[in-house]
Amino acid sequence: MNHQEALTEYLAAFVSGLVQAGVKDVVISPGSRSTPLALLIAENRDLNVYMNIDERSAGFFALGMAKASQRPVALLCTSGTAAANYFPAVVEANLSRVPLIILTADRPHELRDVGAPQAIDQIHLYGNHVRWFTDLALPEFGQEQYAFNTAVRAIKEATGHLQGPVHLNFPLREPLLPILEPYPFTEKIKELKISQGNLTISNETAREIAEQIQQIENGLIIVGDIDKPELAEAIHQFAQLTGYPIVADPLSQLRGSTTADSQVIDSYDAILKNEQAVNLLRPDLIIRFGSMPVSKPLTLFLKKWRQTPHIIVDGGSGWRDPQNLGTMMVQCDEAIFCHTIKAFFTEARQTQYFSIWKDLNHIAKETIASYLKSMNDLDEGKVIYELAKVIPENSTIFAGNSMPIRDVDTFFHQTRKNIHLMANRGANGIDGVVSTAIGAAVYRNPLYLVIGDLSFFHDLNGLLAAKLNDISISIILINNDGGGIFSFLPQSKLDRHYELLFGTPIGIDFSYAMKMYGGEYCKITNWGEFDQAIEATTEKSGIHVIEVQTNRQANLESHRNMWRLIGEEIDRYFEAMKNGH
């Protein structure tokens, strides 16, 4: 057997392993050293291939697809700095627990560290940011089963209890052309199946926790970023039986369900800005699912009551406790935890503690609604509020980092529209947001990306993925000409160098970018135009950008005025309680 035949059978076996293990989508960036893998992946009838020229964008594009489809997605690039450009997406996938299969072509061993062109050290390139790394053997005859099994293992490592990216490095010798005729994917390879169960909790531990809950009425359930379809109903039932309110982060997927839950508290961020509320809502038990929520007031609230027993449930067997607040780590599938504890309860419980949370939640939401209704100026918070009203059912909102995700936390309230909420909250960076949202739009449509001008500019070339792969996306561009989040931070009090280092105005006319990428662009001037623009996107395909121009200082004052009004209403509520009303 000659080199080409050995190369073809070896790599075809690897690709077959990916398919058998559940991969359906592969994102490829062009290059020479990756030629044999690229051709064989494109030739396989069971794989969907997406081209993305920029590896940095490609990494986030694949990340978005994997998040939306909840399946592993493979990435392929050539050797050299191409592989290094995946790094930001690999970091995000690691922290967000998203299964990415990174395939990097490499020079053969004799061309490493000798000054060969387009050759860098790719061994453990991503360090501890991947679940598993292997530098594969050179393709040779008789190693097809090894190649197949390596692919299956890669998927297993990426989709285990603690999901995340894996990296496979392929040293390849020239010539790099595989044989595509006859069809190279045969049934010669022996299948390898992986069986993996869920993490459970012992009856003894479950009974201990249930007894603790039964003795404590002032308990709080906190649900952060977690996207498991079966979990929402399990948490709803668990909360009703315990009588505990659910503090639901927007990425908990508990705010957009078709069945609204009265246990859900969605205005906690505004409530916990009030000092009296923080003191009077002291919990005696906290049970937390998912990663830490977005809200800073909630984090400060938890730190204030850090002596409170704090149970952290993690089906990924990780360690999500950045504030060192946990008193019990339960490594158990979250839905199984809820169902197991629930078995120890005979009837639902109602608590005064929940009633107070519910009253305050109603006050905050009503105050927010009244405040926004009276506002005619274009406002960043009202963008989220209006968007939630006009988008169609079964839509997805992808929130950019910095201000958009925080405004979603404050202004997106429970709805029966079945709205899915997404964001990149692993590393919380502004890089790759456009590409990730476009990747998510492959599987979730209609999708509305809400993003600031700096984040949009940072990943503007991500729009090419939508153009090349014919993906529709609607982008609400909030343009305050700079970094609006810094207006809310201590740096804003320092006039010296503030605009240079933090405000960073860029003054870009984004309409020209839409012409370049073949998208449609409009800049709205009032809320009527905003509603019309959103409704118009539901009838068309392609890239649509709706720009909302705002003022950073006005936005800061608007938020502060609203929080002040909410605080005053909360104070009145507690005063009435003291007077027996």
Side-chain angles (χ1 to χ4, degrees), residues 143-157:
Q143 294 300 313
E144 294 80 17
Q145 192 68 52
Y146 156 76
F148 181 92
N149 289 359
T150 300
V152 175
R153 180 180 175 185
I155 307 307
K156 178 265 177 189
E157 299 289 351

Side-chain angles (χ1 to χ4, degrees), residues 59-81:
F60 283 104
F61 178 73
L63 177 84
M65 274 202 293
K67 290 178 79 164
S69 66
Q70 299 200 333
R71 289 196 307 264
V73 173
L75 274 159
L76 172 64
C77 72
T78 190
S79 62
T81 55

Side-chain angles (χ1 to χ4, degrees), residues 121-173:
D121 184 357
Q122 296 177 196
I123 306 303
H124 292 289
L125 179 62
Y126 308 115
N128 293 327
H129 297 286
V130 293
R131 300 286 178 269
W132 183 57
F133 165 78
T134 188
D135 187 33
L136 277 82
L138 282 157
E140 60 180 335
F141 177 66
Q143 294 300 313
E144 294 80 17
Q145 192 68 52
Y146 156 76
F148 181 92
N149 289 359
T150 300
V152 175
R153 180 180 175 185
I155 307 307
K156 178 265 177 189
E157 299 289 351
T159 58
H161 294 305
L162 186 60
Q163 296 192 348
V166 300
H167 176 203
L168 294 90
N169 195 54
F170 287 82
L172 299 171
R173 285 198 182 107

Side-chain angles (χ1 to χ4, degrees), residues 11-12 14-16 18-19 23-28 34-50 74-77 103 178 180 183-185:
L11 295 180
F14 176 83
V15 174
S16 295
L18 291 180
V19 171
V23 173
K24 295 184 182 297
D25 302 306
V26 184
V27 181
I28 299 176
S34 54
T35 294
L37 263 173
L39 285 171
L40 287 164
I41 288 169
E43 188 71 11
N44 190 285
R45 297 165 187 154
D46 296 313
L47 291 173
N48 304 314
V49 173
Y50 298 84
L75 274 159
L76 172 64
C77 72
L103 313 176
L180 302 183
Y183 188 64
F185 304 99

Side-chain angles (χ1 to χ4, degrees), residues 55 72-73 137 199 249 261 273 292 310 359 370 468 578 580:
E55 288 85 5
V73 173
L199 293 173
D249 182 89
D261 186 350
K273 285 182 169 68
M292 279 295 292
H310 195 132
D359 288 346
S370 176
L468 292 179
K578 290 175 185 175

